[in-house]
Amino acid sequence: WYCASTRWKGTTYIYINNSFNLDILSFYQRVEIRPKAACLFSVVVAIDFGTTSSGYAFSFTQDSEAIHMMKRWEGGDPGVANQKSPTCLLLTPHLRFHSFGFAARDFYHDLDPEEARHWLYFDKFKMKIHSTSDLTMETELEAVNGRRVRAIEVFVHALRFFREHALKEVKDQSSSVLEGEEIRWVITVPAVWRQPAKQFMREAAYLAGLVSPDCPEHLLIALEPEAASIYCRKLRLHQVIDLSVQGYSSSPAAGPGSIPAREQLRRSRHSRTFLVESGTGELWSELQTGDRYVVADCGGGTVDLTVHQIEQPQGTLKELYKASGGPYGAVGVDLAFEAMLCQIFGEDFIQSFKAKRPAAWVDLTIAFEARKRTASPGRTNALNISLPFSFIDFYKRHRGQSVEAALRRSNMNIVKWSSQGMLRLTQEAMNELFQPTIINIVQHIEELMSKPEVRGVRFVFLVGGFAESPMLQKAVQKSLGRTCRIIIPHDVGLTILKGAVLFGLDPTVVRVRRCPVTYGVGVLNRFVNGRHPRDKLLIKEGREWCTDIFDRFVSVDQSVALGEVVKRSYTPARTGQRKIIINIYCSTTDDVVYISDPGVRKCGTITLDLPEAGAEGGTGAAGGGSPERREIRATMQFGDTEIKVTAVDVTSSRSVRASIDFLSN
């Protein structure tokens, strides 16, 4: 057993765990606001690691108004400016990295069908991290051909690819030689991700060589809707589309001949360098102090909603309601298309085709993705989707009849067959594919807008790749257009990436966040007959204690300012004890009494490594008496995008190695 006590308003609490011993000690809890650290970085590199597409951007601290987007890569779709890369990875049959993005997609497409069965192609793999409830470093991903690989290896390959490309591009634009410690890296994650998923991305970044585990401050985890919100603060009127009830209107811009060169660069939508306002953009002149706005990040895998208030005159942001959302991204439309194919051709056939002709299946999904982008509510003609020849041939061999016959037999009148080898999806069919996902998104936004903390919102910013969809735009406009202004930034798919760079330049811009869940530890308290259940009674050294009492660190939806800390003090009970391990519990509700209550789960551990007392300056008593008890003071910070813990040996004032782990449950 170990225990540590808390004296608070005359009550003694004892912290318990059955791993290592702690002795009784006093406890402190207070708020500290850390001063803003001086900038030690010469460049910030942000990686927007998306479900369907990814990219990077960077900015030099000496010219922080300029954000440089990544170079357009070979294999990109024609006519699309500033395009990110598809999030797909190709490994050789021997599990070695081959390519990422367009190069992976195109190489896999060109492989011989039999050979392709041995290669490992991964796409949309980020969703696995969100959907896995017991994520660990051993969690596996399944490639298109069915082979499984540890998820961490796939993410490391992808991040290492971005690291190499970004560093080369940064060095090409830098006149000085950059050292590793001069670069601050930022990786974006959905706000609805739990702590294990955030830690997973950090561990992958360490293994990919972005930063060293000894310098964790060189890597920031940015929350996607938060990054978008940070960028939206900088918007000017000509940089947005305003979905009013009268229709879609973009604010007019002055002609190029009447504005200076740097301003032309600021307004250019096709330049790889974007200029942002040094203060807040002119769009915000319409906001009063205390006004609130919602950012709806509609991405490939998830939809993330955050509510912010802009604080004038400093322009910092305050989160007003805990981030919410769910797996309602554009991938839902892809899954609906796959379900439609299963309904027409049979689920057994589709699964067999995916396993035997994985490259052709990828081709079919790419063809659908391209047509999905053109779907709009006012479209009257059908959308044609090319079926790969191998699909048509495989179906005839598998079923002994034609694809056209399967369509006729399915009685699905909303999907037709074209003699050119194409599926023709009517507008009704596209509506059927889009509606379940869009309904989920709109309902989620409406539920959020009905909360007391969110009522009276004047602006809703639609961002993320799925926000480009006219189908989604129309649905949101119809639902909310009469109560608030719906704003879509130009190059909406790059909004998060630009905001992530700005976050890296100034991580203090979000001053107050809301805690997504309740966190705490298990403690012992004096047993009170009639108040505590008998099954919680523990008799220790003649005293009666109540076990499993939940000691709350922070509560769900509690406002936590950047730099606010929770402090606890512990002391080892045994001389020579080298480690203290404290279990952390969490709950989505605030009415927790015991760690055994329904909905409470162990979510992580805090580990305090204790060097030998003598090595830390000595804590022995004078005159040969018993050694002094060591007090280890742990400080936990909940106001950042990740939970952080530090510790100090009070007697020697030296730091104690402290870590918090959410991946090893």
Side-chain angles (χ1 to χ4, degrees), residues 509-575:
V509 64
V510 181
R511 196 185 60 81
V512 178
R513 292 182 174 88
R514 294 283 182 143
C515 197
V517 294
T518 299
Y519 287 105
V521 294
V523 304
L524 290 178
N525 196 358
R526 294 290 176 88
F527 190 87
V528 178
N529 279 308
R531 193 173 104 191
H532 295 138
R534 298 298 297 177
D535 62 349
K536 300 292 183 187
L537 174 63
L538 170 72
I539 299 175
K540 190 173 174 65
E541 297 176 356
R543 290 186 176 180
E544 292 187 343
W545 299 97
C546 181
T547 65
D548 294 346
I549 289 178
F550 183 81
D551 173 53
R552 190 176 281 97
F553 288 165
V554 288
S555 299
V556 62
D557 206 31
Q558 176 183 330
S559 285
V560 186
L562 192 65
E564 270 189 36
V565 297
V566 175
K567 292 196 172 190
R568 295 289 191 271
S569 290
Y570 305 98
T571 190
R574 298 195 317 269
T575 303

Side-chain angles (χ1 to χ4, degrees), residues 434-617:
F434 272 86
Q435 281 313 304
T437 298
I438 286 177
I439 287 170
N440 273 327
I441 294 171
V442 171
Q443 281 181 348
H444 209 83
I445 297 174
E446 288 175 343
E447 285 173 16
L448 178 68
M449 301 281 271
S450 68
K451 305 285 183 187
E453 303 91 334
V454 189
R455 283 186 192 143
V457 161
R458 294 178 57 201
F459 289 87
V460 173
F461 290 90
L462 276 187
V463 302
F466 197 24
E468 296 174 344
S469 167
M471 303 282 279
L472 178 61
Q473 291 177 9
K474 186 71 175 177
V476 174
Q477 178 205 14
K478 183 178 178 182
S479 168
L480 305 171
R482 296 188 180 275
T483 57
C484 58
R485 288 176 63 185
I486 299 157
I487 307 292
I488 303 178
H490 287 164
D491 294 315
V492 65
L494 302 178
T495 304
I496 291 162
L497 190 48
K498 297 173 192 173
V501 173
L502 296 174
F503 177 69
L505 291 166
D506 181 12
T508 66
V509 64
V510 181
R511 196 185 60 81
V512 178
R513 292 182 174 88
R514 294 283 182 143
C515 197
V517 294
T518 299
Y519 287 105
V521 294
V523 304
L524 290 178
N525 196 358
R526 294 290 176 88
F527 190 87
V528 178
N529 279 308
R531 193 173 104 191
H532 295 138
R534 298 298 297 177
D535 62 349
K536 300 292 183 187
L537 174 63
L538 170 72
I539 299 175
K540 190 173 174 65
E541 297 176 356
R543 290 186 176 180
E544 292 187 343
W545 299 97
C546 181
T547 65
D548 294 346
I549 289 178
F550 183 81
D551 173 53
R552 190 176 281 97
F553 288 165
V554 288
S555 299
V556 62
D557 206 31
Q558 176 183 330
S559 285
V560 186
L562 192 65
E564 270 189 36
V565 297
V566 175
K567 292 196 172 190
R568 295 289 191 271
S569 290
Y570 305 98
T571 190
R574 298 195 317 269
T575 303
Q577 185 175 319
R578 303 301 300 274
K579 224 180 252 296
I580 296 173
I581 296 180
I582 303 142
N583 289 333
I584 306 172
Y585 296 86
C586 69
S587 170
T588 55
T589 64
D590 191 32
D591 57 348
V592 181
V593 180
Y594 303 101
I595 61 174
S596 55
D597 285 353
V600 180
R601 61 186 179 87
K602 180 191 165 197
C603 61
T605 55
I606 296 173
T607 301
L608 307 176
D609 289 328
L610 309 179
E612 290 183 37
E616 287 296 318

